[in-house]
Amino acid sequence: MIKWFKKLNATQLVAFGFLVLILLGALLLMLPFASRDAGSASFLTCLFTSTSATCVTGLIVVDTATEWTLFGQVVILALIQIGGLGFMTILSIVWMVFRGNIGLYGRTMLMQTAGFLTHESVSHLIKRIFVGTMVFEGIGALALSTRFIPAFGFWRGVWYSIFHSISAFCNAGFDLLGRSGGAFSSVLSFRSDPVVMLTLALLIITGGIGFLVWGDIAANGFHFKKYRLHSKIVLSTTTALLVLGTVCFFFFETKYTMQDMNFGERLLSSFFLSTTTRTAGFDNVGVGGLSDSSAVLASVLMLIGGSPGSTAGGIKTTTLAILILDMLASSTKRGSVNSFGRRIAETTIKRATATIMIYLSVATAATIAICAIEPAGAGFGLREVIFEVLSALDTVGLTMGITTHLTTASKIIVMLLMYAGRIGGISLVLIMGQKRKSGLTERPTENILVG
């Protein structure tokens, strides 16, 4: 068995691990005591829920609070935590607890799958990830308990605080507020509460910037100039997207989902919406009612997602930054792509270009397929389908209300998108990074017209 595992490369091992975890989660959710109405959840429902939780997406076909018992909710939360930290990270933590140091093979796998830069940093960062995760989720749970315990009672309030803190930090978007605010209501009932909204938003941002950035901040404090180029680009791009998204949503939704809010509530809702569309999936405004401008902006933010080596999905903030820098360098006829006094490698630029093309190609194909599958009188159109596809592929979890109404074939496509979105970025980097034998001679060069 060990020899078989060692034959797998990082891509295959991660893909296989997530698949096993999804199937195990589905089987556990099928147990009679996992659902409130024993045996009411079909295999497709359990598989969809397990896929969404493991891939930290948040799309659901049944309300988490009203359908699943405490056991079912614990299973979902465990899948979220494992899926958020990453299959290889969890394996490494278990290995370190029982066996001590990680060998060269394990460190190589972790370096590739978690976005680490060197073998030597793996063991140290694994410990930092585990401790940091517990600390952030613990602080988040304590903050949320100040609102949830008075609202739901002590024990339920504690459980809700833990569940939502982990769900937010892992960018999952699952919630347990359906029993109080109504099925599929997400966090709408708390959208005017600054403690709940800001706590969730900060957890989402912290989980979405990436483990490598944590290490930089922990090692160098707030001395930005000392950070690696990766951390500088991640933090700069994340800040720019949050500010831009907040400002745009604030004005776009004035006469739509935020028309009944005062200035402070609208600002809070705009900031949270700018945060949650970047792969978190908590709905604070009812995204089905977004204006066309906001729907397009939300789709773009979903496509971008979080940062490499984090709990978030999407093409990643670094990919966006590199594409923009490459565009600026090409338009100004500079010989190289530079950022913060450093030159970005040509192979990295090629990976960024390939990443966006693959994501757009998959999203286009899935949109066409779902539109072709769904009947003419389904009650939703292209806008809703595009939003659903991007939400699934970029592991966001927001929906315009069509998830439960999709046919079985479309739900399978959505599951495949969630699975591909969770492992796709890793797979892409590894595939593009593989060394190929080059010929002894290079082909002749010839120019073609573009643009």
Side-chain angles (χ1 to χ4, degrees):
M1 188 68 177
I2 296 176
K3 289 183 179 180
W4 180 79
F5 265 104
K6 286 195 173 184
K7 289 181 180 179
L8 298 177
N9 59 35
T11 306
Q12 294 168 335
L13 184 58
V14 170
F16 177 76
F18 274 110
L19 183 60
V20 170
L21 188 61
I22 289 169
L23 294 175
L24 178 61
L27 292 175
L28 290 174
L29 291 175
M30 287 189 69
L31 296 174
F33 46 85
S35 52
R36 295 188 183 278
D37 186 5
S40 62
S42 65
F43 176 71
L44 180 64
T45 296
C46 294
L47 184 63
F48 192 99
T49 303
S50 180
T51 303
S52 184
T54 304
C55 299
V56 288
T57 304
L59 290 174
I60 52 175
V61 290
V62 293
D63 185 75
T64 308
T66 57
E67 172 64 26
W68 307 109
T69 62
L70 178 61
F71 173 81
Q73 293 169 10
V74 170
V75 170
I76 291 171
L77 190 62
L79 294 173
I80 290 171
Q81 186 73 88
I82 297 173
L85 289 182
F87 176 72
M88 282 301 300
T89 305
I90 296 297
L91 277 184
S92 299
I93 292 171
V94 174
W95 183 272
M96 289 171 65
V97 170
F98 292 102
R99 298 295 298 272
N101 292 330
I102 305 171
L104 180 61
Y105 176 77
R107 281 184 285 162
T108 301
M109 288 292 186
L110 271 167
M111 183 185 70
Q112 292 176 321
T113 58
F116 302 151
L117 297 179
T118 63
H119 288 90
E120 291 77 13
S121 64
V122 169
S123 297
H124 181 64
L125 277 176
I126 284 294
K127 295 175 183 177
R128 182 173 290 170
I129 287 171
F130 180 74
V131 173
T133 297
M134 296 302 104
V135 169
F136 287 128
E137 291 176 350
I139 294 174
L142 285 174
L144 292 173
S145 67
T146 62
R147 290 296 191 266
F148 288 162
I149 290 177
F152 305 113
F154 182 79
W155 291 113
R156 182 180 291 182
V158 169
W159 171 237
Y160 278 21
S161 300
I162 295 172
F163 188 98
H164 290 89
S165 181
I166 294 175
S167 181
F169 181 79
C170 293
N171 282 219
F174 278 80
D175 71 273
L176 299 178
L177 301 176
R179 295 182 68 183
S180 58
F184 304 102
S185 61
S186 194
V187 295
L188 280 166
S189 56
F190 284 90
R191 69 180 185 180
S192 298
D193 189 321
V195 174
V196 174
M197 291 291 98
L198 290 177
T199 299
L200 292 177
L202 291 175
L203 285 168
I204 292 165
I205 294 168
T206 304
I209 63 174
F211 303 134
L212 187 61
V213 179
W214 289 9
D216 243 356
I217 295 175
N220 301 299
F222 294 100
H223 298 286
F224 187 79
K225 291 183 179 181
K226 295 182 179 180
Y227 293 168
R228 296 182 178 93
L229 176 60
H230 171 86
S231 299
K232 291 178 180 179
I233 291 177
V234 165
L235 293 173
S236 300
T237 308
T238 298
T239 301
L241 289 172
L242 287 172
V243 173
L244 179 63
T246 300
V247 172
C248 290
F249 283 130
F250 184 86
F251 290 104
F252 292 164
E253 292 304 297
T254 300
K255 297 181 180 178
Y256 293 88
T257 59
M258 302 179 193
Q259 60 180 336
D260 297 327
M261 300 181 187
N262 58 38
F263 180 87
E265 291 173 338
R266 208 163 75 205
L267 184 62
L268 177 63
S269 293
S270 299
F271 173 70
F272 188 84
L273 188 58
S274 179
T275 303
T276 193
T277 48
R278 302 254 322 288
T279 84
F282 292 105
D283 188 353
N284 67 316
V285 296
V287 295
L290 289 176
S291 64
D292 289 339
S293 298
S294 291
V296 173
L297 176 60
S299 297
V300 172
L301 291 175
M302 289 194 297
L303 179 63
I304 296 169
S307 302
S310 73
T311 59
I315 65 169
K316 305 297 189 293
T317 52
T318 49
T319 301
L320 173 69
I322 289 170
L323 291 173
I324 292 175
L325 291 171
D326 186 37
M327 177 187 68
L328 294 175
S330 298
S331 62
T332 56
K333 297 182 179 181
R334 289 202 299 265
S336 61
V337 177
N338 304 316
S339 180
F340 294 104
R342 294 290 186 272
R343 182 174 63 84
I344 297 174
E346 188 67 27
T347 53
T348 304
I349 299 171
K350 289 181 179 179
R351 290 174 190 172
T353 305
T355 298
I356 185 64
M357 289 306 301
I358 289 175
Y359 269 80
L360 290 176
S361 298
V362 172
T364 301
T367 300
I368 293 173
I370 292 176
C371 288
I373 292 169
E374 294 300 313
F380 51 83
L382 182 61
R383 163 180 145 132
E384 290 78 12
V385 173
I386 292 175
F387 197 91
E388 190 84 4
V389 165
L390 289 175
S391 180
L393 180 61
D394 301 304
T395 67
V396 181
L398 290 172
T399 178
M400 290 188 169
I402 72 171
T403 310
T404 56
H405 304 294
L406 294 174
T407 60
T408 299
S410 294
K411 287 177 182 175
I412 292 174
I413 292 174
V414 170
M415 283 191 286
L416 291 173
L417 288 172
M418 290 189 288
Y419 179 70
R422 186 65 185 96
I423 66 171
I426 297 171
S427 301
L428 176 65
V429 171
L430 294 178
I431 291 170
M432 293 300 179
Q434 289 175 350
K435 292 183 178 180
R436 302 181 185 276
K437 292 182 179 180
S438 57
L440 296 177
T441 58
E442 292 186 356
R443 300 291 182 183
T445 301
E446 185 173 347
N447 291 326
I448 60 173
L449 297 176
V450 294

